[in-house]
Amino acid sequence: MTTNKENNYEGLPRYPESYWLDSVERPEFPPLTDHKETDVVIVGGGITGITTGYLLSKEGYKVSILDGDRIFNGTTGHTTAKVTAQHNLIYDELIEHFGVDFARTYYEANTHACGFIRDFIEEHGLDCDYEEKDAILYATKEKTVSKLEKEFKAYERLGIPGELADSISINVKAKKALIMKKQAQFHPLKYVLKLVDEFIANGGVIYENSTAVDIMTKSETGQRLTVETAEGATITGNYVLSCSHFPFYESEGYYFSRLSPERSYIIAAKGNTEELDAMYLSVDQPDRSIRTVKINGENYLLIIGDSHKTGQGEPMMKHYENLKTFGEEAFQITDIPYRWSAQDLYTLDKVPYIGPISTNHTDILVATGFRKWGMSSSTVSAFILRDYVLGVDSPEMEIFSPDRFDMDPSLKKFLKENINVAKYMIKGKLEPTDKRPEEVEIDEGCTITVNGSRAGAYRDFEGKLHVVDTTCKHMGCEVEWNNGERTWDCPCHGSRYSYDGEVIEGPAEYPLDRIDPEEKLS
């Protein structure tokens, strides 16, 4: 394990690095290189895909999982890892828009998912730092106190164990708090690695560095579904399950117009954890989420927040600095060995899309839009996807169905999000470039002009200039520089690229075009 301490600047590590990924050894799996046959193809090697694969393999299905990178490199490796059904302020809103039965089913599904995680850990005697903790929402502003009180009334209507409190034990001026009892936190990768072991033992197969880009449907093949990869390989099955965070197959459902990407930031810090007896989340902006984590046997803090639309807003490094300032004031933090960020997708009505990708293709299933609550939502997804394949009906299938489209609040949100996309689609094309190539400094990323066209440049610590075309490969928006991660991020649909153009996060499937810095630049 490394801590990056030698590279600290302004009290923060020079490079982003997830503690979860740095603290475990992951197995390596070969890429898919030719044609294979299976029963079920799962695209995405995170907690959703692995859990679904495990459940189906237990039922005797032949299951193959494809990941475009290494397993866990996406959201699973960068999560906050709270195991809870307390998903911020949600239950009052669900009752208002969809009714009590809908809200109760949502709660029961997530509570069942949390119970599955607990029981799996106990059954296998896993040492994954699992700790039962209360989950606490708190309000720091008078105007949000009433929202907590309404949420508590929703708890009472739904039979959710909880209570209101006038104060909290940490050094934050809270006016009111809402407690959901007996939730949990853990080390997510130590847990998922055991699921991988069990999946492999059941005959499951994993392919890494295999980027799924398209599906030949049954109407095209005349028989079964065939997944095609960017590397030229294929795999055929009766079902394809898209568990890749953003759905990789976009011929159906128009998910790019129904999902909103947000980034949030995390620092791991040494500080005062004596009063931190629960997991905390503010309901006000700027958002703050706090929990403890064991690093080398010692208690550290995880401080999370400063959420914003991907590719939009102030320089990204500022968000880490904001969390550091908050930590210094509230917990007297003195050491920050890790910082990293995560990307989450929001649906139009805040409820995940889980089920058939469209009414036209009930053999292609999707799970997405977990809104920062991936530990329980991924497990809910796994059970729903398993039941679809088994032909078993359940109440959860209806409420999480991607086909739902409620006029309130979905239509308003749909229009708002797509107006925002249109704004940034135009804005990026009209923005002037920042500098001339020779003016780009060490460890700086900015836009330049290459032969009359906009391009992105980054100069690494060895002085090498990396230049890419800034037109996103998804739908042609102009990507923006993220100085906190040294990436190019798309403000329209959330695609992210490394400074030399490689895809980090979809929906884009192909890298940015690279430009030879030796060409004549202007």
Side-chain angles (χ1 to χ4, degrees):
M1 178 171 27
T2 62
T3 62
N4 244 346
K5 281 187 175 181
E6 68 277 8
N7 293 322
N8 279 5
Y9 65 105
E10 300 298 329
L12 290 160
R14 174 179 287 179
Y15 299 104
E17 182 176 36
S18 162
Y19 165 68
W20 311 128
L21 289 169
D22 190 42
S23 58
V24 299
E25 292 290 334
R26 289 177 288 168
E28 294 187 22
F29 298 96
L32 181 67
T33 56
D34 50 17
H35 179 75
K36 298 293 183 182
E37 301 274 340
T38 190
D39 295 331
V40 180
V41 181
I42 296 177
V43 177
I47 187 172
T48 307
I50 297 296
T51 308
T52 306
Y54 164 73
L55 293 177
L56 285 170
S57 68
K58 280 186 68 177
E59 299 291 337
Y61 284 85
K62 290 174 59 180
V63 183
S64 296
I65 297 175
L66 276 63
D67 195 280
D69 193 1
R70 296 285 311 283
I71 57 172
F72 315 151
N73 262 4
T75 303
T76 298
H78 296 82
T79 178
T80 309
K82 293 180 179 180
V83 184
T84 179
Q86 189 188 65
H87 296 175
N88 208 319
L89 297 172
I90 187 66
Y91 292 104
D92 177 67
E93 187 173 340
L94 292 180
I95 290 172
E96 179 182 351
H97 292 302
F98 304 112
V100 171
D101 289 343
F102 186 108
R104 183 175 289 115
T105 300
Y106 180 97
Y107 170 71
E108 290 174 349
N110 281 280
T111 299
H112 173 256
C114 295
F116 170 83
I117 292 171
R118 179 196 62 235
D119 293 346
F120 184 88
I121 291 168
E122 290 179 356
E123 176 187 352
H124 295 279
L126 291 185
D127 179 11
C128 60
D129 302 329
Y130 182 88
E131 295 181 89
E132 189 175 276
K133 299 267 188 176
D134 292 344
I136 300 178
L137 299 175
Y138 67 92
T140 59
K141 299 175 183 177
E142 200 63 49
K143 65 180 181 180
T144 49
V145 168
S146 62
K147 292 182 179 181
L148 280 184
E149 291 171 341
K150 288 177 68 177
E151 186 76 353
F152 178 59
K153 289 179 181 178
Y155 279 25
E156 291 182 315
R157 291 185 70 182
L158 299 173
I160 298 174
E163 63 183 57
L164 278 177
D166 294 323
S167 62
I168 55 180
S169 62
I170 60 175
N171 184 28
V172 176
K173 293 180 180 180
K175 297 182 180 295
K176 190 72 73 173
L178 176 58
I179 305 167
M180 184 179 284
K181 296 288 189 178
K182 295 184 178 181
Q183 306 302 291
Q185 61 186 36
F186 69 159
H187 190 305
L189 298 197
K190 291 180 180 178
Y191 164 76
V192 186
L193 281 169
K194 184 59 179 178
L195 282 172
V196 169
D197 289 343
E198 294 297 307
F199 173 66
I200 298 297
N202 292 340
V205 179
I206 296 176
Y207 299 102
E208 293 183 321
N209 299 303
S210 304
T211 306
V213 294
D214 202 3
I215 300 174
M216 292 180 64
T217 63
K218 289 180 179 178
S219 62
E220 295 172 292
T221 65
Q223 299 180 32
R224 303 199 298 160
L225 300 166
T226 297
V227 175
E228 301 174 328
T229 72
E231 296 78 20
T234 55
I235 184 167
T236 295
N238 296 318
Y239 290 90
V240 175
L241 314 184
S242 177
C243 302
S244 54
H245 194 48
F246 199 104
F248 80 96
Y249 182 65
E250 292 195 84
S251 295
E252 296 283 341
Y254 300 101
Y255 286 88
F256 65 86
S257 67
R258 300 165 59 195
L259 291 166
S260 177
E262 283 197 5
R263 294 205 70 72
S264 55
Y265 300 82
I266 302 173
I267 60 171
K270 193 69 182 291
N272 178 19
T273 60
E274 293 179 5
E275 305 299 326
L276 197 58
D277 56 349
M279 305 177 295
Y280 291 88
L281 175 64
S282 67
V283 296
D284 301 296
Q285 295 299 319
D287 55 321
R288 295 289 180 262
S289 175
I290 310 123
R291 57 157 288 189
T292 56
V293 63
K294 292 283 188 188
I295 299 179
N296 295 329
E298 292 187 73
N299 263 341
Y300 278 68
L301 293 148
L302 285 187
I303 301 173
I304 307 100
D306 257 39
S307 302
H308 66 89
K309 290 274 186 72
T310 301
Q312 302 180 24
E314 63 187 353
M316 308 312 167
M317 199 65 196
K318 178 65 176 174
H319 299 294
Y320 288 111
E321 294 167 0
N322 292 340
L323 295 182
K324 175 175 174 285
T325 298
F326 172 80
E328 289 169 343
E329 293 173 352
F331 300 101
Q332 298 78 54
I333 61 173
T334 57
D335 178 42
I336 305 175
Y338 293 93
R339 67 172 176 92
W340 69 93
S341 66
Q343 184 146 307
D344 295 279
L345 297 173
Y346 283 62
T347 66
L348 297 173
D349 56 14
K350 300 183 181 178
V351 178
Y353 300 136
I354 310 168
I357 197 165
S358 73
T359 54
N360 296 326
H361 295 292
T362 55
D363 47 8
I364 302 173
L365 309 178
V366 67
T368 188
F370 297 165
R371 198 177 61 94
K372 298 181 182 172
W373 303 107
M375 297 299 96
S376 61
S377 296
S378 63
T379 309
V380 169
S381 299
F383 279 100
I384 292 175
L385 297 178
R386 180 202 64 179
D387 288 349
Y388 263 107
V389 173
L390 293 177
V392 176
D393 198 10
S394 71
E396 292 80 11
M397 289 182 183
E398 181 178 352
I399 75 164
F400 290 103
S401 171
D403 278 338
R404 69 182 187 275
F405 190 84
D406 192 76
M407 295 298 283
D408 182 16
S410 294
L411 180 60
K412 181 179 179 181
K413 185 72 181 296
F414 177 83
L415 294 173
K416 180 180 177 182
E417 290 301 327
N418 285 281
I419 288 171
N420 176 267
V421 168
K423 169 188 169 183
Y424 277 89
M425 179 81 76
I426 297 168
K427 179 175 178 284
K429 304 295 184 185
L430 300 178
E431 281 182 338
T433 54
D434 298 320
K435 291 187 174 184
R436 293 194 299 254
E438 63 273 15
E439 296 174 331
V440 181
E441 299 178 359
I442 295 290
D443 196 31
E444 181 185 21
C446 63
T447 56
I448 61 174
T449 300
V450 177
N451 300 324
S453 299
R454 187 182 194 264
Y458 170 73
R459 194 177 299 279
D460 64 27
F461 287 97
E462 284 71 46
K464 181 180 178 181
L465 190 67
H466 303 261
V467 185
V468 295
D469 186 327
T470 55
T471 303
C472 180
K473 289 295 187 177
H474 176 232
M475 291 187 70
C477 292
E478 294 298 310
V479 297
E480 300 290 339
W481 179 246
N482 174 344
N483 69 338
E485 316 293 321
R486 299 179 181 85
T487 59
W488 294 102
D489 298 354
C490 179
C492 292
H493 302 111
S495 296
R496 301 180 64 238
Y497 306 84
S498 66
Y499 60 74
D500 57 359
E502 292 299 319
V503 176
I504 296 174
E505 191 125 23
E509 296 169 340
Y510 297 98
L512 296 174
D513 293 333
R514 296 182 185 179
I515 298 172
D516 186 349
E518 298 301 320
E519 289 182 11
K520 181 181 178 182
L521 302 178
S522 59

